[in-house]
Amino acid sequence: MAQIETKDLNFYYGQAQALRNINIAMEKNSVTAFIGPSGCGKSTLLRLFNRMNDLIDGSRIEGSVMIDGADIYARNVNVEDLRKKVGMVFQKPNPFPKSIFENVAYGLRVNGISSRSEIEGIVEASLQSAALWSEVKDKLNKSALQLSGGQQQRLCIARALAVAPSILLMDEPASALDPISTSKIEELIFELKKQYTIVIVTHSMQQAARVSDRTAFFYMGVMVEFDDTTTIFTNPKEERTLNYVTGRFG
Amino acid sequence: MIKKILNNFQVGVLAVSSFITSIVVLLIIIFLFKEGSGVFSKSLLEDGYVLVVNSRNTVNSIAPKDIKNIFDQKIISWKELGGADSAIQLFSIDDISEYYSEEQIGSDLEYMDTCINNYIVNHPSVLAYFPKKNIAKKFNGKEIKVGTMGLYEFVKGREWLPTARPVVQMGILPLILGTLMVSLGAILLALPFGLVTAIYMAEIAHPVWRRIMKPVIELLAGIPSVVFGFFGLIVIVPMVQKVCHIDVGETALAGSIVLGIMALPTIISIAEDAIRNVPNNMREASLALGATQWQTIRSVVIPYAKSGIWAGIILGVGRAVGETMAVLMVTGNASNMPTTFLQPVRTIPATIAAELGETSAGGLHYSALFALGCVLFLMTMVLNVYVQVALKKKSK
């Protein structure tokens, strides 16, 4: 059974329709890349999976989004619990202006974990998983804002991992980073997919090709094609997909 | 070429005008301190009067505080002032008719000076207080030097009686305490309401509701303070009187309430701006970790906006500290040492506003009011410097 599945999904910002009739299913422990030109709706779709778009006034959703077989837009869903299960990493690294330790511990504290030893254990494990531990273990009490951009982004990943999600949404996680930091993030995604289902929005076709198992191409709110990454990049069925991945437009 | 000259001219105009403005501001401050410093060099004795003793008296000068105690009969012997062991015999020019007949004084008071002189000569333990112009030509008394006031006495003195005779009492401690008390009370009242409103408006309120609320609250800032004072006098003062079961409603508490209401728009408006300036990605990061809206506000948004919120609070306090009219109208203006919020108090600005009209330019009282202005200036300057530091910290 697919872990994330949408059925006839339409989404509107006020009058403007941002997503049209999306039907997509993503398997557990897979990496799915969303590609497409700016404004195609790929980030919007990603943010529907943890209901981040709830915050936008006048937005409206039709159809359903199922995670682990349950409709996350049903009335009785607790949004906070959903977001614990579906972690998110944003385009621009956004650590809190707190210490490195407190950044990772934040998600634990807001979820009611107060045991110091338990928090310390999870913080270390999360920083290990995000491949940041060796770089920051001696300065956990320093401000997170002193880290480089790449380190900040891995800290944000560690922060998301600390609350033990099963799905990790990444909204162009490397677009603000230099090539070396980018390759570190990509290696990390490779490691993380053993334990997490990952959905990544990216502008970089190479990145999609390198890290993902399946790729979905979006264009003007429509999912044009969704297939194995190799198929999308070598032998797409749709001409628009071919044009995009070969760089002829977008 | 013309362009260059024009440019130089424009730059020059800017430089000169900003230079002149700075100089004027500095001059105003220098003027304030210069006038204020007069309070420490002028005699505390009523203008035109002298204190005189018998020429054999060993006491040469008396501290202003002691003079008051002598006239209040708290000090009764010269011994307490370092002189002979004899009771102080007070003599005032108003008492002259008790000692000399009208004939002796003369119908045009032409022998008054001689009579005073004789009295002083005949009474070894006298302390006479009379106008300087009545000092006889052949004067046998000894004029007592009245010390000037020190900064310590000025700031620590507990009595503000600027028109007392024969010596004035100018202790500004009750005024400083009154100002601090009213301001502190105002902030304690305004802070919770201001912060709650700012958080509600910035984070929770529907945008439409916010667009209505914000101008209404800012409108509050535009109401003249005398109107607030009037409102306080008609509404707050009777309310305080009724609720607290006291005889007089014009108290520090009433002042605090009125000032608190006046400080609200500043606090709300600046704190709200600070909260709204928190980048949205901070909120998203917190919410994406499963935090509730309240947890996000408490643990991420408010800490992030902290220095801006502080700036709002301090600007609000600044307004409260310097506010004159509304306070003058509702605090009762008794210049005694305040001990509770249910007593009348007198603040520094209210004192200046109420008393400046009664003083003679250049006199001691006049200088003292300027010195009060300096104290107020220093108080608000400390606040302003703090704001600058807080804002600088924020911009880093």
Side-chain angles (χ1 to χ4, degrees):
Chain A
M1 189 183 75
Q3 193 171 20
I4 310 174
E5 193 173 0
T6 70
K7 282 197 188 112
D8 304 326
L9 185 65
N10 288 292
F11 185 77
Y12 306 84
Y13 291 115
Q15 295 299 314
Q17 187 166 7
L19 291 172
R20 290 167 198 274
N21 216 23
I22 306 288
N23 287 288
I24 189 170
M26 283 158 272
E27 300 297 320
K28 205 167 170 58
N29 293 5
S30 66
V31 177
T32 307
F34 289 178
I35 60 170
S38 295
C40 68
K42 56 193 190 301
S43 285
T44 302
L45 179 59
L46 189 78
R47 291 164 63 94
L48 286 178
F49 297 154
N50 69 344
R51 294 189 55 172
M52 267 334 242
N53 286 341
D54 287 13
L55 306 174
I56 297 164
D57 278 316
S59 64
R60 189 158 55 85
I61 186 168
E62 286 168 5
S64 65
V65 180
M66 317 283 282
I67 289 184
D68 293 330
D71 184 353
I72 62 168
Y73 282 88
R75 244 160 213 267
N76 57 357
V77 168
N78 180 322
V79 181
E80 285 82 38
D81 289 343
L82 168 74
R83 288 178 184 152
K84 254 185 282 177
K85 195 159 106 184
V86 186
M88 188 164 211
V89 176
F90 297 85
Q91 178 173 4
K92 214 177 133 213
N94 56 353
F96 301 125
K98 301 174 190 274
S99 71
I100 293 168
F101 182 90
E102 282 304 320
N103 260 280
V104 185
Y106 178 80
L108 304 171
R109 294 195 202 283
V110 298
N111 288 307
I113 298 172
S114 57
S115 149
R116 180 81 195 173
S117 57
E118 192 181 351
I119 290 178
E120 280 175 357
I122 297 174
V123 168
E124 179 176 346
S126 307
L127 286 169
Q128 297 266 21
S129 305
L132 191 62
W133 175 251
S134 61
E135 292 163 56
V136 300
K137 63 173 188 279
D138 298 324
K139 50 178 182 180
L140 290 175
N141 290 319
K142 291 270 165 61
S143 167
L145 301 179
Q146 291 176 358
L147 298 174
S148 72
Q151 287 174 324
Q152 286 187 8
Q153 193 62 302
R154 277 179 285 147
L155 180 67
C156 292
I157 293 173
R159 184 174 67 183
L161 297 180
V163 292
S166 60
I167 298 167
L168 204 52
L169 308 175
M170 297 180 145
D171 191 356
E172 301 185 43
S175 69
L177 304 180
D178 63 89
I180 293 170
S181 302
T182 302
S183 73
K184 278 190 179 158
I185 300 275
E186 288 178 7
E187 282 167 32
L188 187 56
I189 293 170
F190 238 81
E191 280 300 308
L192 292 175
K193 85 175 204 190
K194 292 171 193 159
Q195 292 177 60
Y196 305 91
T197 306
I198 296 173
V199 185
I200 177 170
V201 166
T202 179
H203 260 119
S204 154
M205 247 96 58
Q206 293 85 344
Q207 187 171 66
R210 281 194 297 264
V211 301
S212 68
D213 305 314
R214 309 257 292 167
T215 296
F217 171 61
F218 291 84
Y219 185 63
M220 295 182 71
V222 176
M223 187 171 76
V224 178
E225 194 168 352
F226 178 44
D227 213 326
D228 287 341
T229 298
T230 40
T231 312
I232 292 281
F233 281 97
T234 53
N235 189 20
K237 291 183 192 71
E238 295 278 337
E239 199 187 336
R240 278 181 296 177
T241 313
L242 182 70
N243 287 342
Y244 185 72
V245 298
T246 53
R248 250 169 269 169
F249 89 102
Chain B
M1 185 62 191
I2 287 172
K3 207 173 164 186
K4 198 175 174 188
I5 292 170
L6 197 64
N7 178 54
N8 286 346
F9 175 73
Q10 285 158 336
V11 171
V13 165
L14 285 180
V16 167
S17 59
S18 67
F19 180 73
I20 290 174
T21 311
S22 317
I23 293 292
V24 165
V25 169
L26 273 178
L27 282 178
I28 290 173
I29 294 169
I30 291 169
F31 170 76
L32 183 65
F33 276 86
K34 191 189 140 286
E35 292 293 321
S37 67
V39 77
F40 302 116
S41 59
K42 286 177 185 134
S43 167
L44 296 181
L45 211 56
E46 197 181 348
D47 230 17
Y49 278 72
V50 286
L51 272 177
V52 172
V53 294
N54 188 284
S55 53
R56 275 167 293 167
N57 199 323
T58 51
V59 176
N60 292 319
S61 68
I62 306 177
K65 189 177 63 193
D66 291 337
I67 295 173
K68 176 170 182 288
N69 285 335
I70 292 166
F71 280 83
D72 287 350
Q73 316 245 305
K74 281 182 191 146
I75 293 176
I76 52 172
S77 168
W78 284 111
K79 204 179 173 186
E80 292 170 68
L81 303 167
D85 188 5
S86 59
I88 299 171
Q89 196 179 357
L90 289 176
F91 170 83
S92 161
I93 190 160
D94 305 331
D95 311 330
I96 190 93
S97 56
E98 288 176 31
Y99 306 107
Y100 297 96
S101 66
E102 264 180 55
E103 284 162 39
Q104 287 172 302
I105 300 168
S107 55
D108 286 337
L109 305 175
E110 61 265 40
Y111 305 122
M112 172 85 103
D113 306 357
T114 326
C115 289
I116 292 172
N117 193 27
N118 288 343
Y119 188 87
I120 292 167
V121 169
N122 294 335
H123 294 81
S125 52
V126 74
L127 179 65
Y129 172 65
F130 58 90
K132 220 171 208 160
K133 64 177 190 312
N134 289 113
I135 294 178
K137 287 200 181 81
K138 286 181 183 168
F139 186 60
N140 295 319
K142 182 169 75 174
E143 203 177 318
I144 288 282
K145 287 194 198 91
V146 178
T148 55
M149 192 170 32
L151 180 64
Y152 183 76
E153 277 172 86
F154 186 62
V155 176
K156 285 277 291 207
R158 289 161 164 264
E159 279 181 300
W160 175 258
L161 298 166
T163 52
R165 294 175 65 190
V167 284
V168 299
Q169 297 298 312
M170 289 183 170
I172 62 166
L173 190 61
L175 310 183
I176 295 179
L177 285 183
T179 307
L180 289 179
M181 211 160 140
V182 171
S183 309
L184 184 75
I187 285 313
L188 288 182
L189 291 173
L191 204 55
F193 293 106
L195 279 190
V196 165
T197 313
I199 292 168
Y200 174 75
M201 272 169 60
E203 290 289 311
I204 299 162
H206 192 271
V208 175
W209 182 225
R210 196 188 147 264
R211 274 201 292 275
I212 300 169
M213 256 174 101
K214 179 125 180 164
V216 168
I217 282 168
E218 279 168 359
L219 206 65
L220 210 60
I223 299 177
S225 65
V226 67
V227 177
F228 273 109
F230 193 54
F231 166 78
L233 200 59
I234 303 297
V235 180
I236 307 286
V237 167
M239 203 175 75
V240 168
Q241 194 172 344
K242 215 170 184 180
V243 172
C244 303
H245 300 292
I246 45 177
D247 297 331
V248 186
E250 292 169 324
T251 54
L253 179 63
S256 293
I257 294 173
V258 172
L259 273 189
I261 297 170
M262 292 177 70
L264 270 180
T266 315
I267 295 179
I268 292 174
S269 163
I270 295 178
E272 200 247 12
D273 283 345
I275 293 170
R276 284 173 61 80
N277 280 336
V278 174
N280 214 23
N281 66 21
M282 287 293 127
R283 293 186 190 90
E284 288 189 338
S286 172
L287 293 171
L289 292 166
T292 60
Q293 190 180 14
W294 171 241
Q295 284 171 328
T296 302
I297 292 171
R298 200 194 58 200
S299 308
V300 175
V301 175
I302 292 180
Y304 198 98
K306 201 169 58 190
S307 56
I309 292 174
W310 267 111
I313 292 169
I314 285 157
L315 286 177
V317 180
R319 173 153 197 205
V321 171
E323 173 51 39
T324 309
M325 208 54 213
V327 179
L328 182 68
M329 290 167 79
V330 300
T331 55
N333 297 316
S335 60
N336 45 14
M337 290 290 285
T339 50
T340 70
F341 273 97
L342 297 180
Q343 276 180 335
V345 294
R346 168 174 269 210
T347 65
I348 293 176
T351 305
I352 298 174
E355 295 179 7
L356 195 60
E358 306 165 1
T359 65
S360 55
L364 178 67
H365 191 185
Y366 172 88
S367 297
L369 293 183
F370 269 97
L372 273 181
C374 297
V375 171
L376 190 66
F377 167 73
L378 290 176
M379 282 164 77
T380 45
M381 196 179 74
V382 168
L383 280 173
N384 278 335
V385 167
Y386 189 88
V387 174
Q388 301 291 336
V389 171
L391 290 179
K392 210 172 226 171
K393 204 172 135 202
K394 190 191 172 192
S395 66
K396 261 180 194 167

